[in-house]
């Protein structure tokens, strides 16, 4: 199965409601789509969201990296040489992890199709179903409590709340949510690097003393500040999950070696795809550090690849893959089935994506 070409396009899917964090408000998912074509007629699909604020990857940069570097390096190669092709994707250009992730998942998709095996089975095949949390958009406390009630009525048992800009308001928001959620529901928070280490310890311990009972905090301090991250992990009553601090497998090892975090968040767009995500998962197994699988604001093609690794590996115990359920429509045929919190992996060969509704995609070539 030889790679004969790459098609690039942009996918646009409206969200159910605008997604608000302290930094931005987003109304649509607008992602780059890649279709890797082969001489057998098999097509492998990939997707990359331009999340400049986290990965530095913009739409133009993703398109340029794939068209001018990654594509040129793998066209003419045989999918059967999986290891070679995956390493070429990583080595032909530095950084550009979102572009690499999109092509990497498309190649895995093709390799699974070639040998007629679902990719999650190829990588381990631990289970067929996983359960995701859902993010509650940042609003005033009453509205967030209403959104939480709505999420609970839809069956969610784990809520994720973005915090950081205003500590007093954060406590009011979380208190309002904990009141309506009761003691059984899990609440995890994501500070997206908002705090200084000492401030983080003080705020987190105050939150626990108020009875908020937080499951963990994501990335309380700046991404580069591993000493600060360790400071919080050692002193806070709330467990710490490293997100923006972990892009590469090397980052993950550095953090686990220093015990700078309790958990690691794997995102395909940060690490450059399944090839490196598997390395992070393997390292985490050695250190005994449980992982979460997360996503950006993504539609179903790339989240589907994240579902495959989450279903493959037991070390991934936490799931934050609410991208597709935040979308108001699903223009992707095939792949994992998302029924609110319950996600079932596709048992079709490869990653199981069958096609994209042409009304939602603009192909560039
Ligand atoms: Mg995060």
């Amino acid at each position: 199965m030889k790679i004969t070409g790459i098609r690039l396009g942009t996918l646009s899917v409206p969200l159910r409601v605008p997604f608000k964090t302290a930094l931005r408000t987003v109304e649509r998912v607008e992602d780059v789509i890649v279709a890797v074509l082969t001489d057998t007629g098999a097509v492998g699909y990939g997707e990359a969201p331009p999340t400049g604020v986290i990965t530095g990857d913009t739409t133009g940069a993703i398109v340029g990296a794939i068209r001018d570097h990654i594509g040129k390096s793998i066209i003419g190669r045989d999918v059967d040489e999986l290891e070679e092709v995956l390493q070429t994707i990583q080595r032909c250009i530095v950084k550009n992890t979102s572009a690499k992730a999109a092509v990497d998942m498309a190649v895995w998709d093709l390799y699974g199709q070639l040998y007629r095996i679902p990719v999650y089975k190829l990588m381990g095949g631990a289970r067929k179903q996983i359960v995701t949390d859902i993010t509650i958009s940042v609003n005033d406390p009453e509205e967030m409590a209403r959104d939480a009630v709505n999420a609970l009525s839809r069956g969610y048992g784990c809520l994720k709340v973005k915090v950081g800009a205003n500590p007093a308001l954060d406590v009011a928001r979380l208190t309002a949510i904990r009141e309506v959620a009761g003691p059984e529901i899990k609440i995890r928070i994501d500070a997206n690097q908002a705090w200084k280490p000492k401030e983080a310890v003080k705020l987190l311990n105050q939150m626990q003393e108020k009875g908020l009972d937080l499951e963990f905090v994501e990335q309380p301090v700046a991404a580069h500040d591993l000493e600060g991250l360790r400071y919080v992990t050692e002193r806070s009553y709330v467990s710490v999950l490293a997100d923006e601090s972990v892009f590469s497998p090397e980052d993950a090892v550095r953090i686990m070696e220093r015990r700078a975090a309790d958990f690691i968040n794997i995102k395909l767009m940060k690490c450059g795809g399944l090839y490196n995500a598997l390395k992070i998962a393997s390292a985490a197994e050695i250190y005994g550090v449980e992982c979460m699988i997360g996503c950006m604001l993504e539609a179903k093609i790339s989240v589907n690849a994240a579902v495959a690794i989450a279903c493959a590996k037991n070390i991934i115990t936490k799931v934050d893959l609410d991208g597709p359920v935040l979308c108001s429509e699903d223009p992707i045929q095939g792949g994992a089935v998302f029924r609110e919190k319950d996600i079932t992996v596709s048992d079709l060969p490869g990653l199981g994506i069958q096609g994209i509704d042409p009304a939602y995609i603009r192909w560039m070539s």
Side-chain angles (χ1 to χ4, degrees), residues 34-331:
V34 50
V36 176
L37 314 175
T38 63
D39 60 355
T40 66
V43 179
Y45 289 102
E47 172 183 353
T51 317
V53 71
I54 295 170
T55 59
D57 297 336
T58 61
T59 302
I62 294 166
V63 168
I66 296 175
R67 190 188 51 210
D68 302 336
H69 296 269
I70 303 170
K72 281 184 179 163
S73 305
I74 65 165
I75 288 171
R77 305 288 283 272
D78 200 315
V79 171
D80 198 28
E81 295 162 11
L82 181 70
E83 178 84 348
E84 286 294 311
V85 176
L86 296 178
Q87 287 181 347
T88 300
I89 292 168
Q90 298 302 323
R91 287 175 187 163
C92 69
I93 183 170
V94 300
K95 302 189 178 175
N96 287 285
T97 49
S98 306
K100 288 172 181 173
V103 181
D104 166 279
M105 69 182 71
V107 170
W108 279 95
D109 186 11
L110 289 167
Y111 190 75
Q113 292 179 49
L114 178 62
Y115 287 104
R116 307 208 152 276
I117 180 170
V119 169
Y120 85 99
K121 294 247 187 206
L122 204 55
M123 296 188 297
R127 61 204 151 201
K128 284 179 188 294
Q129 281 190 317
I130 47 175
V131 174
T132 183
D133 62 7
I134 191 163
T135 302
I136 304 296
S137 256
V138 175
N139 280 303
D140 61 60
E142 296 72 30
E143 192 169 347
M144 290 177 76
R146 276 197 298 277
D147 287 350
V149 169
N150 179 265
L152 302 179
S153 73
R154 286 157 58 195
Y156 290 93
C158 182
L159 308 174
K160 175 166 158 175
V161 182
K162 297 273 189 180
V163 298
N166 179 337
L169 192 51
D170 286 337
V171 170
R173 287 163 169 155
L174 290 165
T175 304
I177 292 172
R178 180 51 84 194
E179 258 167 34
V180 297
E184 301 298 320
I185 298 296
K186 282 185 183 165
I187 300 177
R188 43 182 74 162
I189 60 174
D190 188 351
N192 288 115
Q193 317 180 52
W195 301 321
K196 295 277 177 277
K198 283 183 182 169
E199 183 189 16
V201 171
K202 188 173 148 211
L203 288 170
L204 291 166
N205 289 350
Q206 282 173 354
M207 286 175 180
Q208 289 310 67
E209 278 157 11
K210 285 199 159 79
L212 293 178
D213 190 20
L214 303 173
E215 182 195 11
F216 60 76
V217 59
E218 267 186 61
Q219 199 65 44
V221 301
H224 63 83
D225 186 9
L226 299 193
E227 286 308 317
L229 195 63
R230 182 167 72 177
Y231 181 92
V232 180
T233 301
E234 283 174 351
R235 290 167 179 79
S236 140
Y237 303 153
V238 182
S239 297
V240 173
L241 178 142
D243 184 4
E244 289 95 321
S245 292
V246 183
F247 271 60
S248 64
E250 293 80 3
D251 291 340
V253 168
R254 251 192 303 274
I255 283 176
M256 294 189 289
E257 232 167 27
R258 300 175 188 208
R259 300 181 186 276
D262 299 290
F263 309 115
I264 298 282
N265 193 356
I266 303 174
K267 288 179 180 163
L268 300 180
M269 297 305 142
K270 291 187 300 175
C271 70
L274 294 169
Y275 179 74
N276 279 339
L278 283 170
K279 288 193 206 169
I280 296 176
S282 296
E285 284 165 358
I286 294 166
Y287 284 96
V289 171
E290 290 176 28
C291 297
M292 180 154 92
I293 185 86
C295 62
M296 310 294 181
L297 266 179
E298 299 168 37
K300 210 174 77 181
I301 294 175
S302 48
V303 178
N304 180 57
V307 170
I309 188 169
C311 285
K313 306 302 284 181
N314 282 326
I315 197 73
I316 299 174
T317 57
K318 300 166 196 308
V319 179
D320 178 26
L321 297 179
D322 59 355
V325 295
L326 298 176
C327 294
S328 67
E329 287 145 73
D330 177 17

Side-chain angles (χ1 to χ4, degrees), residues 6-69:
I6 284 184
R7 274 187 104 187
L8 287 160
T10 51
L11 179 79
S12 179
V13 188
L15 295 174
R16 283 194 199 193
V17 290
F19 183 82
K20 290 189 212 168
T21 71
L23 287 179
R24 56 182 187 152
T25 299
V26 184
E27 293 183 353
R28 309 177 70 83
V29 168
E30 307 256 11
D31 289 356
V32 176
I33 299 295
V34 50
V36 176
L37 314 175
T38 63
D39 60 355
T40 66
V43 179
Y45 289 102
E47 172 183 353
T51 317
V53 71
I54 295 170
T55 59
D57 297 336
T58 61
T59 302
I62 294 166
V63 168
I66 296 175
R67 190 188 51 210
D68 302 336
H69 296 269

